[in-house]
Structure formats: C-alpha cells, structure tokens
Amino acid sequence: MALSKVTDAILDLPVSVKAVGGAVLAGATLAVVWRGRWARQTNKKVYPRDTIVIHQMGRGPHVPSLTPFAIKLETYFRMEGIPYQTEHSLFRKSKKTKKIPFLMYNDEEVPDSEFILEFLSKEKNFDLHKGLTEEQIGIGRAFQRMTEENTYWCFVADRWVLDETNEGWDTFNVSRLIRYLAKRIRRKKLYAQGTGRHTPEEIRHIMSEDLKALSYYLGSKKFLFGDKACKFDCAIFGILAEIRWASFGGFGTSVIKEYPNLCDYCERMKETFWPDWEEMIQRDCTK
C-alpha cells in the first residue's frame, strides 16, 4: 500500500522528474527480479526424466491462466490424457523468445505453444491431427491463426490498454505509475503489430467480425468439427475463454455475448476438460 502511494505521487510529478524516478524504480525492480531468479536457481525442482513441465504465469482470476496459450496447452494435455506438470512465475520467461509459456523437457527448453505441441508429438509419438481430414486440418489451422494472430491482439488491446476502468490492473493492485509505464509499452507493441493503429471502435469491430465468422462455422455443432474436440478446439478455446471470462472491464465480454453458440461452446469445453476449473482459479496468480 505504501509503495502504491509513492508511485502514484511520482506519476503526478513533472516529466523530467518522472524520468529520473522511473530509472530508479527500474533499477529497484531489476534488483528484485535478480534476487528472484537467484532464489529459483538455488531451489530448482527436479522432475523425473521425460516429465512434461510447462512454465507459465500463475493461476489467474476467472480463468486458470491469463495467457490463452497456457490454457491451450493444458486443455490439449487434458483432452489426450497426457500427464504434465506446471511451474508458475511472473518473471521467468523463455531464454529464447522472452515469452511464456515454454516447455522444459529433459533440460531442453522449447518456447511457443505450437512448437511445444509439435515437439512433444515427435517425442511422445502422438498424432496432433488424429481423426481429421486434410480439409478439416486446413480449416482448423485457418481459424486457429485467425484467433491467435488477429483476435488475440484485439483482446490484448481491450484488456490492457483500452479499458478505461483499469479493472485488470486494479485486480492485481498495480500502482498508477507501473500501470502508466506498462500501458505505454503495450501501446508501442500494439502499434508495431498493427492493431494499435486502429480506433477503439474499429478494434471492437474487428474482434466482432472474427467471432462472427467462427460462430457461423461452429453453428450448432458441439465442437469445431462435430462431437469430438480436437487440437484446434483447444487453441480457439484458449482465446475465447479469456474474452468470455477475463476481459475485466473491457468490451470483450459484451462482444462474445452477441454470439450465444460461442458462449455455449466455452461452457462445453470447460465442463468437458476442466471439471476442476474453480479450483484452478487463484486471485493472486501464484499457484
């Protein structure tokens, strides 16, 4: 609470003073991160050989993870009955990509959820597209890329930048200064990616059109291609779950509610593969 008041006071200072204060705060933050990394190195958990260990941020409120790509992986493992372990940290990221989630398998690091699945399919000898036709694989990949490379960025903009209520930030008691700096970083990323060059109204429209296309194709089917879920369902569910339950004060929740079959789909995926959903939700993101 005291730190929050200090950083809020810094935010009200002139720009030149904020720059100095920001540098000092950055130095302090790096010191904390360094100490955290040292502690992790000296307390590294040892797993039996061939154990699948997924590193991600901690469990979140409303959803088991605030990154849809971790939900994608865990849902797939649950669907296929593949044993796995999770390690949670807000600071540890892939050495190769500086992102999460990433896989550690027999001391080998594999980043990116899609590359993780491809790597494990070879190591564990399972077919990622079991039971699917070539046409379905093509359609599935198209919808997966749409949601992960387009809808996802609309969602990121909505939750972390455009939401004027700042509910997402307030949920984690983020101070005004840290929020200001973090939003600034995200705006730059979104602008470089392209989504940030649009108005809030246009971003909402893009998200809605993506969900409309998915809704049209899903129709009355239980899952993307019928009565049995597949890898593409896991990827799409990761994105939709975040929009459905973790948009906080953003427009995502209201947009997806325009498509009742997508809401039903989310509930169906949750009930089928996450019977322990409520147990996997943690407000403090540390489990």
Side-chain angles (χ1 to χ4, degrees):
M1 183 63 71
L3 178 61
S4 177
K5 290 181 179 179
V6 170
T7 53
D8 285 349
I10 292 174
L11 190 59
D12 294 327
L13 294 173
V15 174
S16 59
V17 179
K18 279 194 290 186
V20 176
V24 172
L25 183 62
T29 301
L30 286 173
V32 172
V33 171
W34 177 259
R35 286 197 297 270
R37 286 182 175 177
W38 176 257
R40 286 193 297 275
Q41 289 174 356
T42 56
N43 296 285
K44 186 177 179 180
K45 189 172 181 180
V46 178
Y47 291 94
R49 188 167 179 78
D50 298 335
T51 301
I52 295 172
V53 184
I54 299 299
H55 290 260
Q56 58 164 302
M57 65 178 67
R59 300 298 186 188
H62 314 302
V63 287
S65 177
L66 288 181
T67 168
F69 304 105
I71 294 179
K72 163 188 173 179
L73 289 174
E74 289 199 65
T75 303
Y76 183 82
F77 296 149
R78 286 162 173 256
M79 180 180 74
E80 294 296 334
I82 299 172
Y84 69 97
Q85 298 289 330
T86 57
E87 288 277 348
H88 300 279
S89 172
L90 290 174
F91 301 109
R92 186 176 182 185
K93 297 181 180 180
S94 166
K95 294 178 181 178
K96 298 178 181 178
T97 63
K98 309 303 179 187
K99 294 182 178 182
I100 50 173
F102 66 92
L103 165 74
M104 288 302 298
Y105 186 79
N106 296 337
D107 295 323
E108 182 173 357
E109 178 189 299
V110 182
D112 189 279
S113 61
E114 198 65 16
F115 287 139
I116 289 171
L117 291 178
E118 290 179 7
F119 171 84
L120 289 175
S121 71
K122 296 174 183 176
E123 289 291 323
K124 300 290 188 180
N125 193 30
F126 58 80
D127 184 359
L128 290 172
H129 304 308
K130 180 177 59 180
L132 298 181
T133 66
E134 292 182 351
E135 180 181 14
Q136 289 173 330
I137 293 172
I139 293 171
R141 182 171 176 82
F143 275 116
Q144 177 180 333
R145 302 317 285 177
M146 179 190 77
T147 53
E148 290 187 339
E149 302 295 341
N150 195 62
T151 317
Y152 167 75
W153 288 105
C154 296
F155 161 72
V156 169
D158 176 40
R159 181 162 74 180
W160 298 121
V161 176
L162 300 179
D163 177 16
E164 295 181 353
T165 70
N166 291 307
E167 185 179 329
W169 299 105
D170 291 343
T171 297
F172 302 101
N173 298 316
V174 176
S175 70
R176 287 174 61 201
L177 177 60
I178 299 300
R179 184 177 71 206
Y180 168 80
L181 295 173
K183 277 193 169 186
R184 194 173 172 186
I185 291 171
R186 279 166 174 76
R187 283 194 184 96
K188 288 182 178 180
K189 287 184 177 180
L190 285 161
Y191 188 84
Q193 184 272 335
T195 299
R197 299 168 189 256
H198 295 288
T199 66
E201 293 75 19
E202 289 171 338
I203 294 173
R204 179 186 176 119
H205 177 72
I206 293 169
M207 176 189 283
S208 182
E209 288 299 299
D210 282 357
L211 297 187
K212 181 188 293 183
L214 184 57
S215 174
Y216 284 167
Y217 186 78
L218 180 64
S220 60
K221 299 191 296 293
K222 288 182 64 176
F223 302 108
L224 194 62
F225 297 121
D227 292 336
K228 187 176 181 179
C230 65
K231 186 206 78 165
F232 300 117
D233 286 289
C234 300
I236 291 168
F237 174 64
I239 302 294
L240 295 187
E242 300 288 347
I243 296 173
R244 177 72 178 87
W245 292 297
S247 289
F248 297 110
F251 55 65
T253 301
S254 62
V255 172
I256 196 171
K257 284 183 177 179
E258 296 173 6
Y259 307 101
N261 66 331
L262 294 185
C263 294
D264 292 342
Y265 173 79
C266 286
E267 293 290 346
R268 193 176 304 118
M269 288 290 293
K270 182 175 76 169
E271 291 172 4
T272 303
F273 304 114
W274 290 87
D276 55 348
W277 182 276
E278 295 300 323
E279 299 171 23
M280 291 294 103
I281 294 173
Q282 296 290 323
R283 180 180 174 83
D284 61 4
C285 282
T286 58
K287 185 174 179 180

